[in-house]
Amino acid sequence: MPRKPVVTLPTDFFETGNVRALCMKKGGEEALIVYLQLYCMAVTQDRDGKLMLYDNIPLDDATIARLLYKTEKTIEACMQLLTEFHLIVQSPEGVYSIAGMQNSQKKKTLRTEV
């Protein structure tokens, strides 16, 4: 049976400074849920945190909205907050990435389920 990646978070994830501050903002809790959904997508894609569709098409707000069953306006607001709190970064080309997620980072945050 193929092994599936499993995301593990530090036990104090929700107590870290930028996550707590994000949750205090209007729309912050929804943005955090969107972040966790995008984080899981990035882990399964193995693209160094880049948010891609079919491994080669960068995800934009409209596509993320369709994938997560949310409105584009909601996703735009969430992505703005996530960028402001340095959880998501956007390259000059417009590609969203999970901040700090690289192969070495992923190895620390992933474990394999048997």
Side-chain angles (χ1 to χ4, degrees), residues 25-74:
K25 289 284 219 175
K26 180 180 179 186
E29 289 182 352
E30 184 166 30
L32 184 59
I33 291 169
V34 167
Y35 170 75
L36 292 171
Q37 290 174 308
L38 294 174
Y39 190 93
C40 289
M41 288 172 55
V43 167
T44 59
Q45 291 177 352
D46 196 30
R47 307 266 315 151
D48 292 333
K50 292 179 184 160
L51 299 172
M52 308 290 269
L53 183 66
Y54 305 120
D55 291 331
N56 61 350
I57 302 168
L59 291 179
D60 58 8
D61 292 342
T63 307
I64 293 170
R66 285 191 295 275
L67 290 171
L68 301 183
Y69 304 104
K70 302 204 179 286
T71 66
E72 190 171 345
K73 184 177 177 181
T74 298

Side-chain angles (χ1 to χ4, degrees), residues 75-111:
I75 293 300
E76 287 172 3
C78 288
M79 297 307 272
Q80 183 177 358
L81 280 172
L82 294 170
T83 302
E84 180 182 331
F85 285 91
H86 308 289
L87 294 169
I88 298 280
V89 293
Q90 190 172 22
S91 72
E93 298 81 30
V95 178
Y96 286 119
S97 296
I98 303 296
M101 182 184 277
Q102 299 165 345
N103 280 332
S104 60
Q105 177 79 15
K106 286 194 310 184
K107 288 177 185 173
K108 292 178 186 173
T109 59
L110 281 180
R111 62 181 172 82

Side-chain angles (χ1 to χ4, degrees), residues 10-31:
T11 56
D12 65 345
F13 174 77
F14 292 98
E15 299 303 318
T16 58
N18 54 342
V19 172
R20 283 190 71 145
L22 172 65
C23 289
M24 289 183 210
K25 289 284 219 175
K26 180 180 179 186
E29 289 182 352
E30 184 166 30

